[in-house]
Amino acid sequence: MPMAQCAGSACCRARRPGGESAREIFIYPRQLEDLAIAIPGIGRAQAIVTRPQLRDEITVRLSLLPDADRDAVMAAAPGRFNALSRLKADRIEVVGAEELPADAPFVVDRKDA
């Protein structure tokens, strides 16, 4: 299938490296990078996908910069994550910078954990 016809279809998304599936849609590291770039005050962002029962749950973890407006970030993050990934996060959490170091993965799959 030519890439022009394939763009966005499930067969092509499954071949892209680095993403994790949640609710039949892939979350890619670049989407979390874009989230951190788009909202002032976010230093790093990470999505964790779990499946406590029968439904995938998405937790977005944010590490804020020291001068961040926490209320503004928390107001903007859900809508921006949805716009970037086409998924609704079940939870948005603010964590300390030490919990989200520079080498932490952007997307973590804990569905089978």
Side-chain angles (χ1 to χ4, degrees):
M1 178 183 299
M3 196 52 129
Q5 293 174 347
C6 181
S9 72
C11 69
C12 291
R13 285 194 314 268
R15 293 186 203 135
R16 294 182 185 156
E20 295 295 340
S21 174
R23 301 180 205 146
E24 305 299 322
I25 297 175
F26 278 78
I27 303 171
Y28 293 99
R30 182 64 198 181
Q31 294 166 329
L32 280 296
E33 288 176 315
D34 288 347
L35 178 68
I37 292 167
I39 301 174
I42 297 178
R44 288 203 26 96
Q46 180 183 63
I48 299 176
V49 182
T50 58
R51 186 180 298 139
Q53 294 179 6
L54 299 176
R55 179 181 175 274
D56 291 349
E57 292 187 4
I58 303 164
T59 301
V60 175
R61 301 172 75 213
L62 304 173
S63 171
L64 302 184
L65 299 173
D67 59 344
D69 180 346
R70 181 187 169 107
D71 293 336
V73 169
M74 293 301 283
R80 189 65 187 161
F81 179 75
N82 180 263
L84 290 166
S85 68
R86 299 176 309 163
L87 291 162
K88 180 181 176 192
D90 295 287
R91 281 176 298 288
I92 307 280
E93 299 176 349
V94 173
V95 299
E98 67 282 352
E99 293 183 56
L100 212 49
D103 62 347
F106 286 101
V107 184
V108 178
D109 181 354
R110 292 188 183 155
K111 290 182 282 197
D112 297 323

